[in-house]
Amino acid sequence: VQELLRQEETLARAQAGNMTSFFQTFGKSVAMFAQLSSMQDRDARALQDMNVFVEQWRESGLIGGVVLTDKKGTVQLNANVLGTSDVGANLADRDYFVWAKEQSGKGEYFVDRPRVSRLGATKGQMIVPVVAAVYREDEFMGVLSASVKLLSLTERYLELMKVADTTDVYLADSQGEIFYSSGVSDAVGESVLDMFPELKLAAKEGKLKSGKSLLAYAPVLPESQNWRLIMASPFQDVTQ
């Protein structure tokens, strides 16, 4: 049992670290891109530069596209992997837009919680928006929002995270709400703390036995979120 828990813990820590590194790298890229003069001026170069950004990340298979809004949150430009132009949607009610308006400096980025995309190549799909505020000098001009496809992200980092065929993998937000589940029964929207009460008092990273399951867990820490990656293997299945 202890050996299996150690294997789970090693896998959970490694993949949580890989996801964190991806968001840090991608977030910094979005933040730097938002500082281009073309983004600030929305001139003829803006869409061209946005298409270049999409092409730079296309091979990763993780990115849907990038949009640029005005200061009221209306999408003015859209570059995506399908090459479509989908503008006019208003994103002012998104958490990241509120965050962007409150920023006092450049070079910061925000990783939002997973949500259903409203437009572009990922319309109707679950995405993780990665956002930076756009300023002209000290004037807020809008946001640059890039979409990370949640399904592709989890397939890349989580699909092989199993010590047994019956191992389930979950991603939960800081409140414990599950937004990804690899289990046969979809647990998305449920609370991981209700499923595994021992996690309520657990440290950010570790391993433990909860009911009939062996758990290993590790933090995924994009700059503006505090997610938890959990692996759960049925005790009897892995010890027979």
Side-chain angles (χ1 to χ4, degrees), residues 58-127:
R58 181 186 290 272
E59 281 192 22
S60 73
L62 301 176
I63 309 306
V66 59
V67 300
L68 180 67
T69 79
D70 62 16
K71 61 181 66 178
K72 294 183 179 180
T74 301
V75 175
Q76 294 188 322
L77 295 174
N78 182 344
N80 57 67
V81 294
L82 296 182
T84 60
S85 177
D86 189 358
V87 298
N90 190 276
L91 305 176
D93 61 332
R94 298 299 206 191
D95 293 343
Y96 58 72
F97 193 82
V98 176
W99 168 87
K101 290 181 67 175
E102 295 175 349
Q103 292 306 294
S104 58
K106 303 174 183 178
E108 300 296 325
Y109 65 90
F110 181 88
V111 180
D112 200 7
R113 63 172 289 115
R115 57 182 68 250
V116 177
S117 174
R118 290 177 178 169
L119 72 164
T122 56
K123 186 174 182 178
Q125 300 176 31
M126 290 295 292
I127 62 168

Side-chain angles (χ1 to χ4, degrees), residues 201-221:
L201 300 177
K204 291 184 177 181
E205 181 177 319
K207 55 186 182 295
L208 55 82
K209 186 173 183 295
S210 178
K212 298 180 180 180
S213 298
L214 301 176
L215 304 184
Y217 46 94
V220 181
L221 295 171

Side-chain angles (χ1 to χ4, degrees), residues 2 6 25 33 35 46 49 59 66 103 156 166 180 183 186 188-189 204 207 224 229:
Q2 290 304 313
R6 280 193 291 270
T25 300
F33 193 75
Q35 297 179 57
D49 288 344
E59 281 192 22
V66 59
Q103 292 306 294
R156 167 74 63 86
T166 51
Y180 168 79
D186 191 358
V188 172
K204 291 184 177 181
K207 55 186 182 295
S224 44
L229 172 62

Side-chain angles (χ1 to χ4, degrees), residues 143-204:
V143 301
L144 186 73
S145 175
S147 58
V148 177
K149 296 182 286 187
L150 182 62
L151 180 60
S152 298
L153 181 74
T154 53
E155 287 177 346
R156 167 74 63 86
Y157 292 110
L158 304 182
E159 284 300 305
L160 299 179
M161 282 186 56
K162 295 189 175 184
V163 295
D165 292 339
T166 51
T167 298
D168 289 334
V169 180
Y170 306 96
L171 270 177
D173 65 18
S174 58
Q175 304 303 313
E177 181 179 340
I178 297 170
F179 58 83
Y180 168 79
S181 167
S182 70
V184 176
S185 59
D186 191 358
V188 172
E190 297 182 18
S191 172
V192 73
L193 302 180
D194 291 339
M195 294 174 63
F196 309 113
E198 287 80 1
L199 287 174
K200 294 178 181 178
L201 300 177
K204 291 184 177 181

Side-chain angles (χ1 to χ4, degrees), residues 27-58:
K28 290 176 182 177
S29 179
V30 172
M32 291 179 62
F33 193 75
Q35 297 179 57
L36 293 180
S37 60
S38 59
M39 299 299 104
Q40 300 167 21
D41 298 335
R42 289 171 171 74
D43 56 22
R45 300 170 299 157
L47 186 58
Q48 180 180 351
D49 288 344
M50 290 168 66
N51 281 316
V52 170
F53 180 86
V54 171
E55 286 303 313
Q56 289 174 339
W57 286 94
R58 181 186 290 272

